[in-house]
Amino acid sequence: MLTATPHSRVAWLRGPGFDSALVLGAPALAFVSGAAIVYEPSWFYPILIVDLWILGYHHVIATFTRLCFDRASYEERRWMILHLVPAVAAATILLAWSVGIWAVVTLYFYWQWFHYTRQSWGISRAYRRADPEASYEDGWLDQAIFYAVPVHGILLRSSEGHTSFIGLDLWTLPVPVPLASAAGYVAAALVIFWAARRVVDLARGRLAGAHTLYMLTHFAIFWAGYILVPDITLGWLMINIWHNYQYILFVWMFNNRRFRRGLDPRARFLSWISQSGRIWLYLLTCIAITGAVYWGVLRTIDWLLFAGLSATIVLYQIVNFHHYIVDALIWKTPGRAASGAPVVAG
């Protein structure tokens, strides 16, 4: 449901309540969590555990509602489970065995940055499509503005020469400090230009309110996670919380739109938990599956086949890397626009 008025030009993806939770709730939770850890560093691991079990693992499971919660989806994408999972597992294990765990950690560090950025890009596109009559930048300028802060952030982190991430060995790209600084000046100029254009749009009555608000939170979270916070792990945790929370809500909205006409006999259970007013049931379902998969299956495999922290890292990164690949593919399926569902890349 898209609603807008000539005066406010606020076009929501679903409605003020849901969009507020999506756009403002996610960064608010991330900032509050980060502030709490700065205030009391010993809270880092409890907050990390809550993030992983309530949001992180859950958001990976949410992806599988697009893969195997109904027969049609499974038939279309079963290769992503039957063939892609073994391929990703083999590649990850080979990387860890031939190069070292640090290579897996390094791959995760850069890939998760790209994954988070691409998801944010996709959601920003959804808000643009919600208000096509508003004023926007287009082409390379649009992309330059969007990616400016994330690119500056990852270049800055690389230039800082960190050798540890989440308590594990890390190798970062040898980015010269002047290059990272130059990227910062470019990012600042582009954001200032974007803000000035939005002020002009507001004066002309062509401001896309929801999209503008989303972009402000996009800039803020990447600035905080990669630039403001000196601790690389704390910065990652903040942006990870934002990303996970955001993804869970967006996937539910996609399923809710997909089954907006009511129960679908071809996907009876998924369509039932995706109806309006049942988001709590959808969340509980994903949390229950999270417990079975992460606590049950992965822990059992870890105990039977491997031993130690290294094996656990490899197993969890297999799941993450598979999720990144699948997520980049399932949101690019033809025919989605015709269904009225938003398009998200990454």
Side-chain angles (χ1 to χ4, degrees):
M1 176 178 62
L2 305 181
T3 58
T5 69
H7 302 290
S8 66
R9 297 200 62 84
V10 177
W12 306 110
L13 293 181
R14 180 172 173 79
F18 181 90
D19 285 60
S20 295
L22 177 68
V23 177
L24 298 178
L29 182 60
F31 284 124
V32 168
S33 300
I37 293 170
V38 170
Y39 174 77
E40 179 50 70
S42 66
W43 291 348
F44 174 83
Y45 285 105
I47 290 176
L48 173 62
I49 290 171
V50 171
D51 171 44
L52 292 178
W53 279 99
I54 302 300
L55 297 175
Y57 302 157
H58 179 178
H59 109 280
V60 172
I61 294 301
T63 303
F64 282 84
T65 65
R66 300 284 320 279
L67 296 183
C68 57
F69 267 45
D70 62 275
R71 182 175 294 277
S73 296
Y74 175 73
E75 291 297 330
E76 179 185 356
R77 304 187 178 105
R78 60 180 175 179
W79 68 270
M80 294 183 182
I81 299 174
L82 302 180
H83 303 295
L84 187 58
V85 170
V88 172
T92 306
I93 292 170
L94 179 62
L95 179 64
W97 177 76
S98 61
V99 182
I101 292 298
W102 67 267
V104 176
V105 175
T106 298
L107 178 60
Y108 170 72
F109 175 71
Y110 285 101
W111 201 349
Q112 55 87 26
W113 165 83
F114 178 75
H115 176 70
Y116 297 172
T117 306
R118 287 297 294 169
Q119 175 177 298
S120 187
W121 169 260
I123 294 177
S124 75
R125 299 303 88 182
Y127 275 107
R128 280 185 61 139
R129 284 188 299 275
D131 194 359
E133 296 182 4
S135 177
Y136 301 101
E137 287 73 38
D138 290 310
W140 68 268
L141 181 58
D142 176 37
Q143 297 189 48
I145 291 170
F146 182 89
Y147 286 102
V149 176
V151 168
H152 171 47
I154 198 66
L155 290 177
L156 180 64
R157 284 300 194 212
S158 298
S159 71
E160 291 168 347
H162 295 276
T163 58
S164 178
F165 173 56
I166 323 179
L168 302 166
D169 290 339
L170 173 73
W171 176 85
T172 54
L173 296 171
V175 174
V177 173
L179 177 59
S181 298
Y185 288 119
V186 172
L190 287 171
V191 172
I192 291 171
F193 170 79
W194 172 86
R197 289 289 298 270
R198 300 290 77 78
V199 172
V200 172
D201 292 339
L202 178 62
R204 294 176 176 174
R206 297 191 63 194
L207 178 69
H211 177 265
T212 299
L213 183 60
Y214 179 79
M215 288 293 292
L216 287 171
T217 64
H218 164 81
F219 294 139
I221 193 66
F222 277 96
W223 172 73
Y226 288 96
I227 300 167
L228 175 66
V229 177
D231 186 324
I232 187 174
T233 300
L234 176 56
W236 161 81
L237 178 59
M238 291 174 61
I239 205 163
N240 180 261
I241 290 172
W242 167 79
H243 164 78
N244 294 338
Y245 181 110
Q246 187 184 68
Y247 187 84
I248 291 168
L249 289 183
F250 203 88
V251 172
W252 180 83
M253 184 182 71
F254 176 90
N255 288 329
N256 178 258
R257 287 186 176 186
R258 178 186 173 191
F259 301 112
R260 61 188 179 277
R261 294 184 178 87
L263 297 184
D264 185 340
R266 298 167 299 178
R268 190 174 299 277
F269 180 69
L270 179 59
S271 62
W272 184 62
I273 63 175
S274 299
Q275 296 301 304
S276 297
R278 292 179 184 159
I279 189 171
W280 63 272
L281 188 57
Y282 170 85
L283 297 177
L284 288 177
T285 299
C286 289
I287 290 174
I289 297 173
T290 293
V293 172
Y294 279 89
W295 185 259
V297 176
L298 292 183
R299 290 283 181 170
T300 301
I301 294 174
D302 187 21
W303 179 76
L304 289 175
L305 302 181
F306 303 101
L309 179 62
S310 296
T312 301
I313 294 168
V314 170
L315 282 170
Y316 280 76
Q317 293 311 327
I318 288 171
V319 175
N320 281 330
F321 296 158
H322 176 262
H323 165 69
Y324 294 166
I325 296 171
V326 167
D327 204 44
L329 296 173
I330 61 176
W331 296 105
K332 297 177 181 178
T333 303
R336 202 173 41 253
S339 70
V343 181
V344 175

